[in-house]
Amino acid sequence: MSQQGYVAAPPYSQAQPGMGGYQGGFGSGPAQPLYGHYGGPPQAFTAPPAGPMQSPPPPTSSVAQQPFQTPPPPAMGQPQMPPGPQSPHMSQQMSPQMSPPQSPPASMPMAGPPLAGPLMVGSQMAGPPMGGPPMGGPPMAGMGRPFPGPPPPGPGGFQQPSPGAAGPLGYPQQAGNSFGGQMAGPQPGMPGAFPGAPASLAGPPQKKLDPDSIPSITQVIEDDQLKKGGQVFSTNIRGQVPPLVTTDFTAQDQGNASPRFMRCTTYSLPCTADLAKQCQVPLASIIKPFASLPKDETPLYVVNHGETGPIRCNRCKAYMCPYMQFIDGGRRYQCGFCNCVSEVPVFYFQHLDHMGRRVDFYERPELSLGSYEFAATLDYCKNNKLPNPPAYIFMIDVSYNNIKSGLVKLICDELKTLLEKLPREEGAESSAIKVGFVTYNKVLHFYNVKSALAQPQMMVVSDTAEMFVPLLDGFLVNYQDSRAVIYNLLDQIPDMFADTNESETVFAPVIQAGVEAFKAAECNGKLFIFHSSMPTAEAPGKLKNRDDKKLVNTEKEKTLFQPQKGVYEQLSKDCVAQGCCVDLFLFPSQYMDMATMADVPSHTGGSVYKYNNFQVQHSTDGEHFLRDLRKDVQKSIGFDAIMRVRTSTGFRATDFFGAIHMNNTTDIEMAAVDCDKAVTVEFKHDDTLSEETGALIQCALLYTTISGQRRLRIHNLSLHCSSQLSELYTRCETDSLINFFAKSAYRAILNQPLKNVREILVNQTAHMLACYRKNCASPSAASQLILPDAMKVFPVYMNSLMKTAPLVGSTELSTDDRAHQRLSVMAMGVEDTQLLLYPRLIPLHTLDVNSEALPAPVRCSEERLTDSGMFLLENGHSMFLWLGQAIPPDLIQSIFNLPSLAHLQGHMPALPELDNPLSKKVRSIINGLLDKRPNSMKLQIVRQRDKPEMLFRQFLVEDKGLHGSASYMDFLCYVHREIRQLLT
């Protein structure tokens, strides 16, 4: 039986120049490449036990949508059929004769091994038993820790297999066209394929291979949307692979958490640690406990057991869920996580039906659903006291620059309307959140805005070393009660400081003041801090400029990403202990040590927004910032949160990535958790898993709601287990894998040279794909590149990750921007990393104004742009409107109300609001994207061949990078060579 695969094989037998010049990009490698996976010691490639191969299971039929009360398929306790592969089977091989004849190639010196060979995606699964000689050499000595230091001495560069005759190179056949051509090396005049590739290897220009023939992300997204878009995804099957994050679907909870809350790198775990070690595919889950649900999906039910609180396993403390098996006529239950048998409390007893299932199964969310909430009792509250509703404190830097620029006035004006929209409980008339206000420069000003006052009162604290809150009553107030006094204050602040000359600011004492205020009021909450320069005033947390471009590409580059120790580290702990989340809005005009200033937000579940060279008079700058502020104030959020991830026996959670704090190895603490924050959790085996029972994960989040209630939010997920590696590869999810790799690489650069980190990323990519090739694919020529269907676009994402600012050692990049991106990604969910690493490029010149549908996005490559076109590019953080130089004047007239492109020169205006169908449609597309994304994006308009176009080009991730990084095609060749080396 075959897994889906397509392959074409035109003649392709020329040795390639230019592919040996890679070592510059990834540093000189050790003689035996490192195969260290982030979480554990590197492994040599070993063969799996011999044994017959299992064919993949048949596809499951889709399940019709069912209301909450109707019987779904069997309960989660019973073993269920795993779902089948994601695609129809296809295994014919195209014969080489089908391609156009080619003239014999000129002879050229071999720079490296031949890179020829067909690309097969998801090859046949038939074939010999899985035994065979081990791959690679012995494990390297002294590599017990993740990300070892400098590699041991050895020949420079990656090992190269001996030159041999190149085989035919086939690529997926698309639309029946066959094609010839050869994989070109780096072109003359271009930087080498990887940074540092010697120019001498460039060779003469060659006929390039057709880029349409290599796997395309836009195609994969489109295919998944066609196949699963608009459908109901029922979560009643163990280990079911969900639709892609880019696909529009409706999730129906029938016993497993919706993929909006939990996604996994693979939905079929290998049964043994040896198998996991062998394939090197990380086993991880990306959990977004507060994810927003679309309007057509049911919000979570709240289960209230009164005084007794939630029912839990006596031994492992897992919460009641669909994986508990009731026995002994319903009087006892066996835990699905640790197998311990517990008594059912008297009030909870219910009889079992003829299938051994409780008769109230469908009335109880905790027995029939994957996600639900429990009302928590006093035992789950700090000091056994019910919490107070949270508070939001707005803290505004009123130093000279912010007053003069008009920023302070902009913030104060916006707050007048924004405070009307504070988040509130479903059905509540007004928000229970209290508000407070602080302004500061070198000293702090607190405001009493008690409703009984006619005028707000200001109190100044100038001793920033011993921070305290000078007033208790009247600082944190209910907005509705004190609206008049607050309005008055917001009107007065810009005038009060109009004549200030104070340009120095403090920063750490501002956060300390917020923590003290929450302590005094016995509540949790969030600080919104609006700040614009490095804190240089004499006070705790004073910073000095430590930006040093000479450190880039050295062993010490990692120090640029490390926060300055001391005050801020302690501040993070104080914030988490008090449930004080910090959100930072920064308006820098120069270096401000982002790595240190953003440290507290990144450990308290906070966000950092950054607006370089902000100009209030530019309406686009103001709108961009205000959109972020509005979203941030209004988003759904929980406070003082603690999360625990439990697993069934055989594996456990070992590593955690996110905007989190950890005091011990199991409790994930977050001062706050909102709808955009995700925690990535890595799992490791500690025993053998059973194919029969599968693997279970339960994520329990204890938090305080915006109205001050203490709740437990539970998400459960059951995964398939298999002793066949082919199963693991069939059920991989590339988007989740790249989220894991991005976070683990971004953490690793704090301790290791970038060169090592990049090297390990490439090695692990090659290792995962070589293991598939060796153990799951049917035999084929070594010259063929064979990729598993579910991972066929993984190399595009990996190459794109290696081009991101934190992983590119270039002195042209701002240290603060690199640190900011590193910290932002650590808290991202799967959809955000997917879009960041593969931007959407939409051709707007083909827009049909009468159609609801967007034009299909095209691949992120310069080759897809047309001189007469208009393209919109967005990645969740940046947005560009690109205008080709031959764009028709009527298009410019419709969008900009200008006669031609030449009239756009010099000033790049915002899009004017014009009253024609095309202008309205383009604006509605842009606004739709801005609404959908967690962050605001500032639209930048660029014309083809203008200087600002360079900025736009770095988002065309399939092309060579600005700083000498590889194109997708070059990277694929490089990985192919690494795979062949592992297999020889």
Side-chain angles (χ1 to χ4, degrees):
M1 192 161 193
S2 77
Q3 214 181 335
Q4 182 206 18
Y6 41 53
V7 61
Y12 177 76
S13 53
Q14 169 163 352
Q16 286 307 304
M19 304 318 272
Y22 277 113
Q23 56 270 40
F26 296 106
S28 65
Q32 163 69 28
L34 317 170
Y35 291 107
H37 149 45
Y38 288 105
Q43 300 301 329
F45 226 92
T46 48
M53 202 118 181
Q54 209 181 326
S55 59
T60 50
S61 57
S62 63
V63 182
Q65 177 159 5
Q66 296 167 324
F68 183 39
Q69 290 287 339
T70 60
M76 303 311 301
Q78 276 86 326
Q80 298 187 3
M81 270 304 290
Q86 297 291 298
S87 20
H89 305 303
M90 197 174 137
S91 60
Q92 82 282 2
Q93 207 146 331
M94 309 297 302
S95 68
Q97 290 85 314
M98 287 172 65
S99 343
Q102 255 184 308
S103 53
S107 74
M108 301 185 85
M110 272 290 296
L115 277 157
L119 169 81
M120 293 180 65
V121 178
S123 82
Q124 289 103 315
M125 305 272 301
M130 287 168 40
M135 289 182 182
M140 286 179 59
M143 290 196 28
R145 62 198 181 89
F147 273 119
F158 283 81
Q159 290 172 296
Q160 298 173 1
S162 58
L169 171 63
Y171 273 92
Q173 193 71 7
Q174 293 192 351
N177 303 326
S178 24
F179 57 89
Q182 45 209 45
M183 190 82 83
Q187 301 301 311
M190 294 291 283
F194 277 72
S200 61
L201 291 172
Q206 297 164 351
K207 187 175 165 197
K208 262 201 172 153
L209 195 83
D210 177 10
D212 278 336
S213 58
I214 55 181
S216 147
I217 289 180
T218 49
Q219 192 59 53
V220 167
I221 289 174
E222 204 175 313
D223 293 348
D224 198 70
Q225 178 63 37
L226 279 171
K227 198 165 134 204
K228 301 178 183 173
Q231 296 186 11
V232 173
F233 175 74
S234 293
T235 69
N236 56 332
I237 297 171
R238 184 169 85 199
Q240 192 176 196
V241 183
L244 296 179
V245 282
T246 44
T247 298
D248 295 314
F249 65 95
T250 302
Q252 188 181 31
D253 187 340
Q254 292 192 343
N256 282 298
S258 156
R260 303 195 201 286
F261 296 121
M262 292 176 84
R263 281 182 177 269
C264 295
T265 53
T266 177
Y267 291 83
S268 178
L269 300 184
C271 282
T272 64
D274 285 349
L275 277 175
K277 231 172 233 178
Q278 190 188 325
C279 68
Q280 296 269 316
V281 174
L283 311 175
S285 179
I286 296 90
I287 305 171
K288 207 183 205 182
F290 258 77
S292 307
L293 296 177
K295 291 195 170 43
D296 58 352
E297 292 182 20
T298 320
L300 301 194
Y301 290 91
V302 181
V303 178
N304 192 341
H305 289 322
E307 297 287 298
T308 50
I311 295 169
R312 305 176 67 175
C313 167
N314 285 342
R315 185 195 290 157
C316 72
K317 300 294 180 221
Y319 293 85
M320 181 53 69
C321 68
Y323 317 137
M324 304 298 190
Q325 188 78 36
F326 288 86
I327 53 174
D328 195 11
R331 285 187 287 278
R332 300 192 300 159
Y333 66 93
Q334 184 172 22
C335 173
F337 295 88
C338 71
N339 299 322
C340 171
V341 174
S342 306
E343 296 288 327
V344 173
V346 176
F347 84 92
Y348 200 68
F349 173 78
Q350 187 55 272
H351 294 285
L352 307 185
D353 64 13
H354 64 287
M355 298 195 30
R357 192 156 53 179
R358 284 174 59 121
V359 293
D360 63 353
F361 181 82
Y362 298 114
E363 282 111 63
R364 291 203 177 270
E366 74 274 24
L367 298 182
S368 52
L369 298 178
S371 299
Y372 43 87
E373 294 199 317
F374 287 118
T377 55
L378 281 177
D379 300 344
Y380 293 90
C381 302
K382 272 191 184 155
N383 310 324
N384 283 28
K385 275 173 66 180
L386 288 175
N388 290 313
Y392 283 0
I393 305 178
F394 297 89
M395 313 181 100
I396 306 169
D397 163 1
V398 289
S399 58
Y400 177 82
N401 283 345
N402 286 3
I403 293 290
K404 284 289 168 281
S405 71
L407 176 62
V408 173
K409 183 168 168 34
L410 182 73
I411 294 167
C412 291
D413 288 349
E414 176 62 29
L415 287 178
K416 289 179 196 169
T417 51
L418 188 51
L419 293 174
E420 298 281 354
K421 302 183 184 130
L422 290 170
R424 55 174 190 244
E425 288 288 349
E426 199 69 43
E429 277 188 22
S430 64
S431 173
I433 296 174
K434 299 262 175 64
V435 294
F437 303 88
V438 172
T439 55
Y440 66 94
N441 37 45
K442 255 173 38 176
V443 298
L444 278 76
H445 323 103
F446 295 78
Y447 297 92
N448 184 343
V449 283
K450 200 157 61 176
S451 56
L453 296 173
Q455 285 284 337
Q457 295 169 347
M458 179 208 267
M459 301 181 103
V460 180
V461 176
S462 51
D463 181 4
T464 49
E466 293 293 324
M467 187 41 67
F468 69 100
V469 177
L471 73 162
L472 275 181
D473 190 28
F475 177 59
L476 295 177
V477 298
N478 180 301
Y479 170 71
Q480 297 300 337
D481 300 345
S482 297
R483 189 198 268 143
V485 194
I486 291 171
Y487 251 63
N488 209 326
L489 171 67
L490 294 171
D491 276 338
Q492 288 179 34
I493 287 175
D495 301 335
M496 252 190 295
F497 298 98
D499 302 326
T500 186
N501 291 318
E502 188 52 74
S503 58
E504 283 197 314
T505 56
V506 295
F507 181 63
V510 179
I511 299 176
Q512 193 66 53
V515 175
E516 297 302 328
F518 290 149
K519 259 187 204 158
E522 296 187 355
C523 69
N524 324 122
K526 187 190 263 200
L527 310 180
F528 295 80
I529 303 180
F530 305 90
H531 191 92
S532 68
S533 61
M534 192 149 69
T536 52
E538 277 310 324
K542 172 185 176 178
L543 297 177
K544 55 182 189 296
N545 189 337
R546 58 188 187 119
D547 188 18
D548 185 358
K549 290 285 197 275
K550 290 200 286 296
L551 299 181
V552 173
N553 282 325
T554 70
E555 288 281 317
K556 289 191 176 162
E557 182 169 8
K558 58 191 174 205
T559 59
L560 297 175
F561 296 113
Q562 295 166 352
Q564 295 186 35
K565 290 270 183 276
V567 175
Y568 291 99
E569 210 172 2
Q570 186 53 47
L571 211 43
S572 291
K573 290 177 184 163
D574 295 348
C575 284
V576 172
Q578 189 50 49
C580 166
C581 169
V582 179
D583 276 2
L584 201 45
F585 293 82
L586 295 174
F587 304 87
S589 52
Q590 56 202 37
Y591 174 78
M592 61 191 310
D593 194 356
M594 177 64 75
T596 304
M597 293 194 67
D599 191 47
V600 176
S602 70
H603 284 97
T604 58
S607 306
V608 180
Y609 302 90
K610 185 163 177 276
Y611 311 93
N612 295 345
N613 305 313
F614 183 84
Q615 306 282 324
V616 173
Q617 60 276 23
H618 289 182
S619 61
T620 48
D621 281 17
E623 260 316 298
H624 173 41
F625 153 58
L626 294 178
R627 230 186 341 253
D628 274 335
L629 178 59
R630 288 168 197 150
K631 276 192 174 178
D632 197 42
V633 169
Q634 295 174 56
K635 64 175 140 191
S636 62
I637 187 168
F639 292 93
D640 197 18
I642 186 157
M643 185 165 107
R644 174 75 72 91
V645 178
R646 292 181 173 83
T647 53
S648 52
T649 50
F651 75 122
R652 62 195 168 89
T654 55
D655 214 350
F656 306 88
F657 306 86
I660 56 175
H661 175 75
M662 296 196 71
N663 263 333
N664 55 37
T665 54
T666 53
D667 296 330
I668 303 156
E669 296 183 61
M670 294 170 278
V673 54
D674 64 47
C675 55
D676 300 322
K677 299 289 182 295
V679 178
T680 298
V681 182
E682 187 181 9
F683 301 104
K684 287 270 165 57
H685 286 75
D686 49 18
D687 204 346
T688 304
L689 297 171
S690 139
E691 298 200 30
E692 210 168 296
T693 53
L696 310 176
I697 302 171
Q698 183 179 78
C699 159
L701 177 84
L702 174 65
Y703 73 99
T704 302
T705 67
I706 46 179
S707 62
Q709 294 173 353
R710 203 71 176 142
R711 286 217 192 132
L712 283 148
R713 179 171 283 220
I714 313 292
H715 297 300
N716 301 289
L717 189 62
S718 62
L719 301 177
H720 186 67
C721 295
S722 175
S723 52
Q724 305 296 329
L725 282 175
S726 54
E727 276 282 314
L728 174 138
Y729 284 103
T730 308
R731 300 190 194 198
C732 263
E733 187 175 80
T734 291
D735 297 336
S736 294
L737 274 171
I738 203 69
N739 175 284
F740 174 85
F741 277 111
K743 291 186 181 187
S744 40
Y746 280 7
R747 178 190 288 175
I749 60 179
L750 290 175
N751 309 310
Q752 297 221 28
L754 287 187
K755 190 178 73 173
N756 290 24
V757 177
R758 288 194 301 253
E759 211 161 88
I760 289 176
L761 287 173
V762 180
N763 285 332
Q764 204 170 339
T765 301
H767 208 111
M768 293 191 301
L769 298 174
C771 176
Y772 173 80
R773 167 73 185 257
K774 182 176 173 66
N775 301 306
C776 310
S778 56
S780 55
S783 53
Q784 289 185 324
L785 172 59
I786 297 179
L787 302 170
D789 190 60
M791 283 174 71
K792 64 185 173 196
V793 290
F794 182 74
V796 196
Y797 285 117
M798 182 53 84
N799 188 39
S800 179
L801 170 61
M802 297 207 304
K803 295 185 202 196
T804 55
L807 291 176
V808 171
S810 166
T811 51
E812 289 167 40
L813 295 168
S814 129
T815 303
D816 274 348
D817 285 352
R818 295 174 74 197
H820 183 223
Q821 184 173 344
R822 189 190 84 76
L823 289 167
S824 303
V825 167
M826 292 310 278
M828 279 185 188
V830 178
E831 50 279 56
D832 303 334
T833 47
Q834 187 279 327
L835 187 64
L836 181 74
L837 294 173
Y838 201 85
R840 201 144 304 172
L841 182 60
I842 305 167
L844 292 182
H845 52 280
T846 61
L847 199 57
D848 175 1
V849 290
N850 300 315
S851 161
E852 282 297 296
L854 272 179
V858 296
R859 296 174 74 153
C860 286
S861 168
E862 192 186 348
E863 292 179 353
R864 309 290 153 165
L865 303 174
T866 53
D867 288 0
S868 59
M870 170 168 72
F871 291 82
L872 184 71
L873 181 142
E874 61 106 11
N875 73 346
H877 293 263
S878 304
M879 183 183 261
F880 294 89
L881 186 63
W882 181 91
L883 307 168
Q885 56 185 12
I887 190 168
D890 56 332
L891 210 55
I892 293 292
Q893 185 69 53
S894 301
I895 303 290
F896 295 100
N897 201 18
L898 290 168
S900 74
L901 193 59
H903 290 78
L904 268 175
Q905 207 137 14
H907 72 120
M908 291 288 140
L911 286 186
E913 299 201 8
L914 304 177
D915 197 21
N916 66 67
L918 184 63
S919 171
K920 283 180 179 167
K921 181 77 181 169
V922 168
R923 287 199 322 274
S924 91
I925 288 172
I926 290 171
N927 292 332
L929 290 170
L930 290 172
D931 287 344
K932 204 169 159 185
R933 308 289 176 232
N935 287 35
S936 164
M937 294 175 277
K938 178 176 156 186
L939 180 68
Q940 301 173 64
I941 297 164
V942 294
R943 300 185 315 165
Q944 187 178 11
R945 306 218 165 88
D946 270 8
K947 204 174 175 189
E949 197 198 13
M950 285 304 278
L951 193 60
F952 164 81
R953 278 175 190 266
Q954 70 190 13
F955 295 96
L956 301 176
V957 296
E958 291 198 17
D959 298 342
K960 283 193 170 74
L962 291 182
H963 306 286
S965 44
S967 68
Y968 168 32
M969 184 82 83
D970 288 341
F971 182 71
L972 204 56
C973 293
Y974 186 71
V975 167
H976 184 200
R977 192 177 80 188
E978 290 294 295
I979 293 169
R980 293 185 62 182
Q981 191 176 313
L982 284 169
L983 294 172
T984 47

Short mmCIF file of all heavy atoms in Angstrom, two decimals, residues 55 72 99 144 233 296 516 587 684 712 725 736 753 802:
data_model
loop_
_atom_site.label_atom_id
_atom_site.label_comp_id
_atom_site.label_asym_id
_atom_site.label_seq_id
_atom_site.Cartn_x
_atom_site.Cartn_y
_atom_site.Cartn_z
N SER A 55 0.90 -1.34 6.97
CA SER A 55 0.39 -0.36 6.01
C SER A 55 -0.50 0.62 6.76
O SER A 55 -1.06 0.31 7.77
CB SER A 55 -0.41 -1.07 4.92
OG SER A 55 -1.48 -1.75 5.53
N PRO A 72 -22.66 10.73 20.63
CA PRO A 72 -21.55 10.71 19.69
C PRO A 72 -20.99 9.30 19.58
O PRO A 72 -21.53 8.38 20.17
CB PRO A 72 -20.54 11.65 20.33
CG PRO A 72 -20.87 11.65 21.77
CD PRO A 72 -22.29 11.22 21.93
N SER A 99 10.43 13.52 -20.45
CA SER A 99 10.87 14.91 -20.44
C SER A 99 11.50 15.28 -21.77
O SER A 99 11.94 14.43 -22.52
CB SER A 99 11.92 15.12 -19.37
OG SER A 99 11.85 14.07 -18.50
N GLY A 144 26.63 15.54 26.21
CA GLY A 144 25.47 15.18 27.02
C GLY A 144 24.48 16.31 27.16
O GLY A 144 23.35 16.08 27.48
N PHE A 233 -15.05 19.72 11.95
CA PHE A 233 -14.01 18.80 12.43
C PHE A 233 -14.46 18.29 13.80
O PHE A 233 -14.47 19.03 14.77
CB PHE A 233 -12.67 19.54 12.53
CG PHE A 233 -11.56 18.70 13.13
CD1 PHE A 233 -10.97 17.68 12.41
CD2 PHE A 233 -11.11 18.94 14.43
CE1 PHE A 233 -9.95 16.90 12.96
CE2 PHE A 233 -10.10 18.17 14.99
CZ PHE A 233 -9.52 17.15 14.25
N ASP A 296 -19.61 30.64 15.80
CA ASP A 296 -20.44 29.44 15.61
C ASP A 296 -19.97 28.25 16.44
O ASP A 296 -20.46 27.14 16.26
CB ASP A 296 -20.50 29.06 14.12
CG ASP A 296 -19.12 28.80 13.54
OD1 ASP A 296 -18.12 29.07 14.24
OD2 ASP A 296 -19.03 28.34 12.38
N GLU A 516 3.28 47.11 44.06
CA GLU A 516 2.90 47.56 45.42
C GLU A 516 1.42 47.96 45.47
O GLU A 516 0.73 47.68 46.46
CB GLU A 516 3.77 48.76 45.85
CG GLU A 516 5.26 48.47 45.97
CD GLU A 516 5.58 47.34 46.97
OE1 GLU A 516 4.84 47.18 47.97
OE2 GLU A 516 6.56 46.60 46.72
N PHE A 587 8.40 53.52 22.37
CA PHE A 587 8.48 54.47 21.25
C PHE A 587 9.93 54.94 21.12
O PHE A 587 10.24 56.10 21.35
CB PHE A 587 7.55 55.66 21.51
CG PHE A 587 6.13 55.25 21.76
CD1 PHE A 587 5.71 54.93 23.05
CD2 PHE A 587 5.22 55.16 20.73
CE1 PHE A 587 4.40 54.53 23.29
CE2 PHE A 587 3.91 54.76 20.96
CZ PHE A 587 3.49 54.43 22.24
N LYS A 684 8.90 13.76 26.66
CA LYS A 684 9.92 12.72 26.51
C LYS A 684 9.37 11.41 27.06
O LYS A 684 8.56 11.43 28.00
CB LYS A 684 11.17 13.10 27.30
CG LYS A 684 11.99 14.22 26.68
CD LYS A 684 13.03 13.66 25.73
CE LYS A 684 13.63 14.70 24.82
NZ LYS A 684 14.25 15.81 25.47
N LEU A 712 -11.00 26.70 37.04
CA LEU A 712 -10.06 25.75 36.44
C LEU A 712 -10.51 25.50 35.01
O LEU A 712 -11.67 25.13 34.79
CB LEU A 712 -10.10 24.43 37.21
CG LEU A 712 -9.33 24.45 38.53
CD1 LEU A 712 -10.01 23.52 39.52
CD2 LEU A 712 -7.89 24.02 38.30
N LEU A 725 7.34 3.83 12.45
CA LEU A 725 7.72 5.23 12.22
C LEU A 725 6.87 5.87 11.12
O LEU A 725 6.62 7.07 11.15
CB LEU A 725 9.20 5.32 11.84
CG LEU A 725 10.16 5.19 13.03
CD1 LEU A 725 11.59 5.17 12.54
CD2 LEU A 725 9.96 6.33 14.02
N SER A 736 3.15 23.00 13.45
CA SER A 736 3.49 22.87 14.87
C SER A 736 4.97 22.59 15.06
O SER A 736 5.60 23.10 15.99
CB SER A 736 2.67 21.73 15.50
OG SER A 736 1.31 22.06 15.50
N PRO A 753 26.67 30.05 20.41
CA PRO A 753 26.91 30.84 19.20
C PRO A 753 25.84 30.54 18.14
O PRO A 753 25.40 29.39 18.02
CB PRO A 753 28.28 30.37 18.72
CG PRO A 753 28.90 29.66 19.88
CD PRO A 753 27.77 29.14 20.72
N MET A 802 15.74 30.31 9.55
CA MET A 802 17.17 30.64 9.64
C MET A 802 17.48 32.02 9.06
O MET A 802 18.57 32.54 9.27
CB MET A 802 18.00 29.55 8.96
CG MET A 802 17.80 28.24 9.70
SD MET A 802 19.15 27.10 9.58
CE MET A 802 19.29 26.95 7.87
#
